Amino acid sequence: MRVGIVGTGLLGNAVGLNLLKRGHVVTAYNRTRSKTKELEENGAKIVDSPKKISENSDVVFSIVKNADAVRKVAFGDECIACGKHDGLIVCDMSTINPIASKEIAQEFANRGIPFCDTPVMGGPNVAITGDLVMMVGGEKATFEKCEKLFNDIANKVFYLGQNGTAHSVKLAMNLQIAMLALAISEGITLARASKIKPETFLEILNSTYFKTGMSENKAYKMLKHDYSPTFTLSNLKKDLDTINEAAKSFGVNLPMATKANQVYQDAEEEFGSLDYTAILEYLSKSK
């Protein structure tokens, strides 16, 4: 298929490289053109506006920072919607408030363009091999048209129903990430304070029902102070902002999400550009 990618950060770049390897024709746009270099070197066509993305694509994915950024590339100057043509489908792989996603979907519908929310779980390391987990919200007929493409991007694809549902689940999933990183970090911090090797703590944890992929993998990088970012602490803090906004919109109270947001906010200034697991460094320095 002809696939367009608007936003070639860590995730967008990896998704694009995977699609190129699978034989798709990829066109990419990023506000900072230098971030498209690797895609261009691997055969992607690079253009200078979201409009040119949609003009050259059957399916366009936006993978940008927040809902305001999605709206800008979708409906602003030289936008995705400006390049409308018969058969165009737009998908959003960003992490945004599900209410905003519904509003964006409605605006696309008003312009006669089918839209799916398609957030994913998994970082660039699995995106590049097509092993993400994807959640999809939108019309069933639109999902079915894109299903083969979605299966090239993710090894598990969950169709969840109407627009907004996928972003709701994505926020719930990212809340798990924030809480797990805090729990592991506080466990390591407590073990160290108790003069217990944190490796021993992890070995015992990973011998139980309570082990996770994070405790079995990333935790050992954390012990080595390896915070090479696959998903930055600033991005997770941004998602916690969105989680708390969504909770307020839905009329529910998430006290731990509120507290976690404050902790990540306090850590962001010093550690924001590092991997989100650098929350351990913040906790280690806090007295």
Side-chain angles (χ1 to χ4, degrees):
M1 296 183 73
R2 299 184 305 157
V3 183
I5 297 177
V6 177
T8 58
L10 292 172
L11 180 61
N13 183 66
V15 169
L17 291 173
N18 170 57
L19 291 174
L20 286 166
K21 287 189 294 185
R22 293 173 184 266
H24 296 281
V25 177
V26 175
T27 305
Y29 164 80
N30 196 78
R31 187 174 56 182
T32 304
R33 190 182 175 97
S34 61
K35 291 186 177 181
T36 63
K37 182 179 179 182
E38 189 175 9
L39 285 169
E40 186 172 22
E41 289 173 345
N42 283 271
K45 179 181 179 181
I46 309 303
V47 296
D48 59 10
S49 72
K51 178 183 178 182
K52 290 184 179 178
I53 288 285
S54 49
E55 288 175 341
N56 288 276
S57 304
D58 303 308
V59 180
V60 175
F61 290 94
S62 53
I63 313 175
V64 294
K65 183 177 181 180
N66 53 35
D68 286 343
V70 175
R71 288 188 176 99
K72 184 174 181 179
V73 299
F75 309 120
D77 295 336
E78 295 293 301
C79 63
I80 293 170
C82 299
K84 175 187 173 182
H85 58 82
D86 289 345
L88 176 66
I89 295 172
V90 179
C91 301
D92 178 45
M93 204 179 282
S94 315
T95 301
I96 65 174
N97 190 314
I99 293 173
S101 184
K102 289 180 181 180
E103 292 170 351
I104 291 164
Q106 185 59 57
E107 180 61 28
F108 272 117
N110 292 343
R111 299 175 185 231
I113 301 171
F115 174 84
C116 287
D117 34 306
T118 56
V120 295
M121 294 300 297
N125 57 319
V126 294
I128 203 164
T129 58
D131 290 319
L132 292 164
V133 174
M134 178 183 284
M135 298 144 283
V136 183
E139 293 293 330
K140 185 67 176 290
T142 305
F143 165 74
E144 290 173 347
K145 288 178 182 177
C146 298
E147 189 170 7
K148 186 177 184 299
L149 174 62
F150 293 162
N151 283 321
D152 281 344
I153 294 171
N155 66 11
K156 289 191 177 180
V157 178
F158 295 88
Y159 175 67
L160 300 174
Q162 66 180 352
N163 287 111
T165 53
H167 282 306
S168 293
V169 175
K170 170 65 173 175
L171 292 182
M173 295 300 298
N174 279 21
L175 181 56
Q176 309 309 301
I177 294 172
M179 295 303 191
L180 285 173
L182 280 170
I184 290 172
S185 294
E186 291 198 351
I188 290 171
T189 301
L190 181 61
R192 283 173 171 164
S194 304
K195 309 303 181 185
I196 297 167
K197 289 183 177 180
E199 292 86 353
T200 301
F201 159 65
L202 290 176
E203 181 181 3
I204 296 169
L205 174 61
N206 291 330
S207 299
T208 73
Y209 173 83
F210 303 103
K211 67 182 178 181
T212 64
M214 194 182 297
S215 68
E216 291 183 312
N217 296 290
K218 278 214 171 193
Y220 291 94
K221 291 185 176 182
M222 294 162 69
L223 297 186
K224 297 175 183 177
H225 308 283
D226 179 359
Y227 303 114
S228 303
T230 58
F231 185 61
T232 66
L233 190 148
S234 285
N235 278 335
L236 186 53
K237 185 267 174 188
K238 180 268 296 181
D239 288 350
L240 283 163
D241 289 342
T242 306
I243 287 163
N244 283 286
E245 289 167 4
K248 185 177 180 180
S249 298
F250 293 140
V252 295
N253 181 34
L254 301 179
M256 297 311 296
T258 301
K259 180 61 177 177
N261 196 19
Q262 184 61 58
V263 175
Y264 280 91
Q265 180 177 313
D266 292 344
E268 183 179 20
E269 182 175 353
E270 186 173 356
F271 303 107
S273 63
L274 301 178
D275 193 75
Y276 66 91
T277 50
I279 197 67
L280 173 60
E281 296 296 310
Y282 168 76
L283 293 173
S284 298
K285 292 183 177 183
S286 299
K287 300 296 182 183

